[in-house]
Amino acid sequence: MLVAKAEARESLPTFWHAYHHPDPNDREFILKFNLTPESDAELIWATDIAVRGDRVFGRLGNQPLAPDFHQGQEVEIDPDQIVDWSYVKNGVAQGHFQTRVMMSYMPSHVVKEAKQQLGWAD
């Protein structure tokens, strides 16, 4: 996972370029980040990414464990806490570095379904 995180962070310029200069078929820009860096890490996906000035915001994509947060809540994302990214290009999810690693630990039927949802089906 450390390698996946490093690859995601190194390739963030790819995400930001697509975000700021999207092709007509680019959509669903999301970032995975550490919501609670001051305590136990809670890695979570944020949707509806927005850049305002030099600050990054997103909406929590699922119900977090941290009690002070809720699904759909807009939060500021510390760029130093980003651990993965994705967007959909022509129906195929880009990025998802940690997801790719996690698939090696999932049952094959779950992997097959996930790959179909991400546009990675063989």
Side-chain angles (χ1 to χ4, degrees), residues 39-61:
S39 61
D40 290 337
E42 181 173 357
L43 304 180
I44 192 165
W45 286 101
T47 63
D48 300 327
I49 302 304
V51 176
R52 299 183 197 123
D54 61 353
R55 298 167 67 192
V56 179
F57 298 87
R59 296 197 176 278
L60 299 178

Side-chain angles (χ1 to χ4, degrees), residues 69-88:
F69 298 96
H70 62 273
Q71 183 175 356
Q73 178 180 351
E74 184 178 70
V75 295
E76 184 170 359
I77 299 169
D78 179 347
D80 291 336
Q81 298 300 319
I82 297 171
V83 298
D84 208 347
W85 58 265
S86 181
Y87 68 95
V88 176

Side-chain angles (χ1 to χ4, degrees), residues 29-43:
F29 290 85
I30 61 175
L31 293 169
K32 190 175 194 178
F33 72 105
N34 186 357
L35 178 64
T36 56
E38 66 286 343
S39 61
D40 290 337
E42 181 173 357
L43 304 180

